[in-house]
Amino acid sequence: MISRLLVANRAEIASRVFRTARKLGIETVAVHSDADVALPFVAEADHAVRLPGNAPAETYLRADLVIEAAKVAGADAIHPGYGFLSENADFARAVEAAGLVWIGPAPESIEQMGSKIEAKKIMAAAGVPVLEAPASPVESDLPLLVKASAGGGGRGMRIVRSLDALGAEIAKAEAEAASAFGDGTVFVEPYVEAGRHVEVQVVGDGAGNVAVFGERDCSVQRRHQKVVEESPAPLLPDAVRSALHDAARNAAAAIDYRGAGTVEFLYDAASERFWFLEMNTRLQVEHPVTELVHGVDLVELQIAVAEGVGFDTPPPSGSGGSTNGWAIEVRLYAEDPSADYQPQSGTLATLEFPGAARIDGGYTSGSEVSTFYDAMLAKVIVHAPTRDAAIRRLVSVLRTAKIHGLVTNREQLIGILGSDAFRSGEVTTALLAKENLLSTVDDPGAAVAAAVALAEATRRPRVPVAWRNVTNQPQRTVFEDDSEDGLVVEWYGTRDGYRIDGFEVIDAGQDRVVLEKDGLRTTYEVSIDGARIDVDSSFGHTALRKRPRFTDPATQTQPGSLLAPMPGSVISVLAESGSSVTEGQPLLVLEAMKMQHTVTAPTDGVLAQINVKPGTQVAAGEVLAVVEEETS
């Protein structure tokens, strides 16, 4: 019996495992980098051990440091979570060699499924359908998909639509895979343009017995990374559903799988055919939707199997045969979908959700989001009797959540859930490649409420704000927007309160304003943080920034300056100082939060100045280089 459990991970998944451990009466140990010391998961653990440094390579990816931390803390078991070392066979062996319980599959299973090339061979031998890569592709084989054999999370993956580009795309995928996984092996397979990503949850006892806990649809993806997941999968014929479950069971049994794992398939709805993609030999990010629909605790099952509970004894949380209702999960990321998904970092001023959802989160109000790790802030999951009810409930939770301080993908998630494609259930992995589905908050009262709150924050007690005997000129509050004049709110401060055309101010305070327009009364909650103002109402969230009356010359940059769109590390510099460049030409590549961003030339000209080199750490807004337009 496990008595003290170390989680070799961070943030959301560490908190999730701790929750089950506490339920079972197991003590918990957190390991943390310097950047993560103030995050909630560290405080939630009974014990914590520091891993000096910040970058994953010097902290969470250091198997020796993690095992030493377990010894220091007196832990007798290690749970790897997902990502980092969770699918590292050498780490699993080292844990067992140290006399600790490894909560995961046998190292041999990890190795067999860790190479997508070898995994396909094993699956084919077990009778599981696989996509066959053409030996010598021709035009009729297009499009093709280049994939990293040891990859995941969309890295080392390239779609190829021209045979002329195949060689270059393979080279790029090899370089990216070598950087991300230490293994540059890639392979090519047919790319199913309008496929659905359907995966099956399995739990094995290591003796060939496998329980299946239904399937999940994870087709909504950006950059080959999942954004929305649900269970059960919509519009799936019963015969296909049954065949998927059988294929997953056979796949896991073929390697005597132990613990929780996921078998992923690509499904073509038109032909009702499916093919094996890969097996994740760990707990998946999206496991909560399975837990809610099947009434199980998958972490509890992982621990039970690790403690030797075989399937001759019923699993402690049920056998997973029947389903109950519908569950949908969305991943809330600190990123800007309107700017090529640039990751965001900084202080998360407010993060609050209403009580109608399960929140598996790694951050809280006031947390600092660093550039060293994945940009996911939280998973928001709802469970309802029907799919339509789950969608409506999830949209409401997202719209009324308070998320201040950082740009997130919240509006995109709302747009996805409200789209005709998603509501019909006919989603494919190409959904976000066609449009980003950003929803918009159309609420003219938000700026008015912000202006009133700002005025209230600066007025003296019992003195009407900006009151004048002769009110022939309105006061003006200007917020930043894309126009030259900005977003202007004009208002008067009178003895009787505020007067604003079109709006009646029912109640005014610096954190709460009630407005009425055309007979409709709306309450606005306002948060002021310097020049940034966040406004929340039943319409949704609006982030505003007050425009300064005068521009500080020190903030001006010379024309042609290329500014860092995010804090991060310079991966490569692709042009030399003094060279001629063309508009759109890649000049530098930055990396932050496990994502890369290419900085391109804004115009034809000469690269007059380069201020960075590979390895340079840069802050958001820092001048990376300067392109001067060529003159006649």
Side-chain angles (χ1 to χ4, degrees):
M1 298 291 288
I2 295 169
S3 60
R4 185 173 293 179
L5 171 65
L6 180 145
V7 177
N9 220 295
R10 63 180 294 278
E12 174 268 323
I13 186 57
S15 295
R16 164 68 191 92
V17 176
F18 291 160
R19 189 163 65 243
T20 291
R22 285 194 298 271
K23 180 177 70 174
L24 299 177
I26 299 173
E27 290 184 59
T28 56
V29 181
V31 289
H32 66 87
S33 67
D34 293 334
D36 285 346
V37 64
L39 289 189
F41 81 97
V42 179
E44 291 170 2
D46 296 307
H47 311 276
V49 180
R50 174 185 175 235
L51 304 178
N54 289 315
E58 60 188 7
T59 55
Y60 300 106
L61 289 175
R62 285 282 302 273
D64 56 335
L65 294 183
V66 172
I67 292 174
E68 181 61 28
K71 294 178 179 178
V72 168
D76 52 10
I78 289 181
H79 190 298
Y82 53 72
F84 294 132
L85 295 168
S86 63
E87 293 181 282
N88 186 307
D90 290 338
F91 178 57
R93 287 194 179 94
V95 169
E96 294 178 340
L100 304 169
V101 176
W102 166 250
I103 301 181
E108 294 75 19
S109 296
I110 298 175
E111 281 180 334
Q112 288 174 305
M113 295 295 103
S115 165
K116 292 183 175 66
I117 296 174
E118 293 304 312
K120 281 192 171 189
K121 295 177 182 178
I122 296 172
M123 293 301 104
V128 178
V130 298
L131 279 170
E132 297 293 342
S136 300
V138 296
E139 287 292 336
S140 59
D141 294 321
L142 296 172
L144 297 170
L145 187 64
V146 182
K147 297 176 70 174
S149 180
R155 287 168 292 171
M157 189 178 292
R158 293 286 190 279
I159 300 172
V160 181
R161 302 186 184 278
S162 166
L163 291 180
D164 294 338
L166 181 58
E169 293 301 324
I170 287 176
K172 291 178 184 177
E174 287 174 339
E176 190 174 18
S179 173
F181 313 112
D183 182 351
T185 305
V186 301
F187 63 97
V188 180
E189 67 182 19
Y191 179 62
V192 180
E193 196 80 54
R196 285 174 57 186
H197 186 123
V198 182
E199 59 189 32
V200 180
Q201 176 70 57
V202 297
V203 179
D205 67 355
N209 301 307
V210 179
V212 172
F213 291 89
E215 79 290 334
R216 301 181 286 258
D217 189 299
C218 308
S219 299
V220 182
Q221 303 177 7
R222 58 99 169 99
R223 290 185 168 182
H224 306 291
Q225 293 179 317
K226 302 165 188 173
V227 179
V228 182
E229 301 105 345
E230 60 181 309
S231 182
L235 302 182
L236 200 62
D238 290 341
V240 174
R241 195 185 311 273
S242 178
L244 279 166
H245 293 182
D246 290 342
R249 185 181 290 107
N250 293 339
I255 57 173
D256 291 331
Y257 193 74
R258 181 185 74 201
T262 299
V263 186
E264 302 193 349
F265 298 94
L266 185 64
Y267 171 60
D268 178 30
S271 64
E272 295 189 358
R273 298 177 61 195
F274 61 84
W275 302 271
F276 171 82
L277 282 176
E278 62 182 337
M279 183 174 185
N280 294 129
T281 52
R282 54 171 169 79
L283 195 68
Q284 289 280 86
V285 178
E286 57 271 22
H287 75 274
V289 294
T290 295
E291 293 184 324
L292 293 174
V293 168
H294 288 267
V296 298
D297 183 330
L298 290 171
V299 175
E300 183 178 350
L301 288 179
Q302 286 184 296
I303 293 173
V305 170
E307 290 181 328
V309 176
F311 284 176
D312 53 339
T313 302
S317 295
S319 59
S322 60
T323 62
N324 174 30
W326 214 283
I328 305 177
E329 169 184 299
V330 295
R331 303 188 190 187
L332 182 70
Y333 285 103
E335 65 183 21
D336 187 352
S338 67
D340 197 27
Y341 298 99
Q342 288 177 12
Q344 309 290 303
S345 63
T347 302
L348 189 61
T350 306
L351 185 65
E352 298 176 1
F353 295 93
R358 167 176 164 175
I359 307 297
D360 284 14
Y363 298 84
T364 189
S365 297
S367 292
E368 193 73 17
V369 180
S370 75
T371 62
F372 297 105
Y373 314 110
D374 186 89
M376 188 173 75
L377 301 176
K379 302 180 310 194
V380 185
I381 316 107
V382 299
H383 182 227
T386 66
R387 186 172 187 268
D388 287 341
I391 292 173
R392 181 173 61 190
R393 185 175 299 175
L394 185 50
V395 169
S396 175
V397 169
L398 291 170
R399 181 174 289 124
T400 56
K402 289 186 177 180
I403 308 169
H404 303 163
L406 294 177
V407 176
T408 72
N409 66 330
R410 180 207 347 223
E411 303 308 327
Q412 184 184 58
L413 296 174
I414 293 173
I416 292 169
L417 295 170
S419 68
D420 292 339
F422 187 83
R423 288 183 178 274
S424 70
E426 298 177 349
V427 293
T428 72
T429 55
L431 179 66
L432 291 182
K434 298 176 181 177
E435 55 179 324
N436 63 20
L437 294 176
L438 278 169
S439 68
T440 57
V441 178
D442 184 14
D443 181 12
V448 173
V452 171
L454 283 169
E456 285 291 304
T458 58
R459 79 183 184 94
R460 298 191 302 276
R462 294 183 300 279
V463 177
V465 63
W467 176 76
R468 298 174 178 177
N469 284 323
V470 181
T471 56
N472 61 327
Q473 292 292 327
Q475 299 292 306
R476 302 174 85 251
T477 303
V478 184
F479 301 101
E480 299 283 6
D481 69 2
D482 294 333
S483 67
E484 183 177 344
D485 295 332
L487 176 59
V488 180
V489 177
E490 294 187 342
W491 51 275
Y492 294 89
T494 71
R495 289 181 180 275
D496 299 324
Y498 295 90
R499 182 159 56 84
I500 304 171
D501 286 346
F503 290 89
E504 181 181 355
V505 181
I506 305 299
D507 190 19
Q510 66 182 61
D511 54 10
R512 181 177 180 274
V513 176
V514 181
L515 302 177
E516 186 170 301
K517 179 180 175 64
D518 299 330
L520 179 65
R521 185 170 295 190
T522 304
T523 298
Y524 295 88
E525 296 186 30
V526 184
S527 175
I528 302 172
D529 184 5
R532 180 187 173 98
I533 303 96
D534 289 280
V535 184
D536 294 284
S537 74
S538 57
F539 290 100
H541 169 258
T542 302
L544 298 165
R545 180 168 292 277
K546 188 174 184 293
R547 177 175 289 185
R549 293 184 63 188
F550 305 103
T551 302
D552 183 354
T555 65
Q556 301 299 298
T557 57
Q558 69 184 95
S561 296
L562 304 182
L563 308 182
M566 58 190 179
S569 176
V570 178
I571 299 300
S572 58
V573 178
L574 307 175
E576 296 181 355
S577 179
S579 62
S580 295
V581 297
T582 58
E583 182 179 352
Q585 178 181 335
L587 301 180
L588 306 105
V589 179
L590 300 180
E591 183 174 70
M593 297 180 174
K594 297 168 63 177
M595 294 180 66
Q596 293 187 355
H597 178 80
T598 301
V599 178
T600 62
T603 183
D604 294 348
V606 175
L607 185 56
Q609 180 180 325
I610 299 178
N611 300 333
V612 295
K613 59 184 179 180
T616 302
Q617 294 290 325
V618 298
E622 186 173 330
V623 179
L624 306 173
V626 177
V627 174
E628 294 181 353
E629 288 191 61
E630 290 182 312
T631 63
S632 58

